[in-house]
């Protein structure tokens, strides 16, 4: 079952029936029905089909398709640390530090396909900031421990 919620919302907003949309757009009723009921993904439809549906619904084709994260599964390395992008709760990188798994959420901003060449830079910044923060925490803990032992 596919989630075609963008298409379904646009269809509901117009108040058109699937039959009316089919007649206006020239897209076969069976195709409209299968998209509406999640049997096929609108992302897998021919571009012409999506364009016809969008024009008939008074919207842009981009607003009908299901958004995907182009980073899902993209791997990289930053200063010897292997990381992988995923779509868990937004755009995240996962890596191991001090023998423990770490997941950092980059937020929705990093889900922009046109900026994909910069994701390795963003991952590097995120990992660097995380490591610096962890090292700072360790230094503070050591300082507090020394102060405590001096008493």
């Amino acid at each position: 079952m596919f989630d075609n919620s963008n298409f379904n919302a646009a269809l509901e907003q117009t108040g058109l029936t699937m039959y009316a949309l089919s007649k206006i757009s020239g897209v076969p009723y069976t195709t409209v029905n299968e998209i509406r009921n999640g049997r096929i993904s609108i992302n897998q439809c021919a571009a012409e089909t999506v364009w016809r549906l969008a024009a008939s619904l008074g919207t842009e084709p981009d607003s009908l398709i299901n958004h995907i994260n182009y980073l899902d599964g993209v791997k990289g390395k930053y200063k010897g640390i292997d990381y992988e992008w995923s779509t868990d709760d937004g755009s995240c990188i996962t890596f191991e530090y001090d023998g423990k798994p770490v997941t950092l959420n980059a937020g929705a901003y990093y889900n922009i396909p046109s900026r994909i060449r910069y994701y390795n830079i963003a991952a590097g910044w995120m990992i660097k900031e995380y490591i610096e923060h962890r090292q700072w925490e360790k230094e503070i803990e050591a300082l507090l421990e020394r102060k405590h032992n001096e008493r």
Side-chain angles (χ1 to χ4, degrees):
M1 200 63 118
F2 295 98
D3 174 23
N4 295 318
S5 54
N6 294 338
F7 170 78
N8 290 337
L11 180 60
E12 288 171 17
Q13 191 173 26
T14 63
L16 291 172
T17 65
M18 289 185 287
Y19 180 78
L21 178 60
S22 172
K23 287 298 177 195
I24 294 168
S25 67
V27 174
Y29 175 81
T30 54
T31 302
V32 173
N33 186 22
E34 288 179 342
I35 295 169
R36 175 80 164 117
N37 292 305
R39 287 192 285 279
I40 61 172
S41 171
I42 195 161
N43 291 23
Q44 296 171 341
C45 292
E48 181 181 353
T49 299
V50 177
W51 277 93
R52 285 174 176 259
L53 292 171
S56 301
L57 294 170
T59 189
E60 296 295 319
D62 286 353
S63 70
L64 295 183
I65 62 172
N66 302 321
H67 299 285
I68 59 173
N69 190 318
Y70 293 92
L71 287 176
D72 202 20
V74 172
K75 297 177 183 181
K77 188 177 280 236
Y78 173 76
K79 294 190 176 182
I81 297 173
D82 294 318
Y83 65 85
E84 182 173 352
W85 286 94
S86 69
T87 57
D88 300 335
D89 299 323
S91 297
C92 301
I93 60 169
T94 304
F95 59 95
E96 195 170 294
Y97 184 73
D98 278 346
K100 298 176 188 166
V102 177
T103 300
L104 302 177
N105 191 330
Y109 174 78
Y110 291 111
N111 193 15
I112 304 170
S114 63
R115 302 198 188 279
I116 199 157
R117 66 181 174 270
Y118 300 118
Y119 292 134
N120 61 335
I121 296 169
W125 287 340
M126 292 168 62
I127 293 169
K128 180 179 182 266
E129 184 177 318
Y130 176 83
I131 291 171
E132 287 174 352
H133 184 78
R134 290 294 300 140
Q135 289 171 341
W136 178 80
E137 284 178 341
K138 287 179 183 179
E139 289 174 17
I140 295 296
E141 288 172 9
L143 180 64
L144 292 173
E145 183 68 27
R146 278 196 306 262
K147 292 285 185 189
H148 179 70
N149 289 339
E150 289 175 1
R151 292 183 192 179

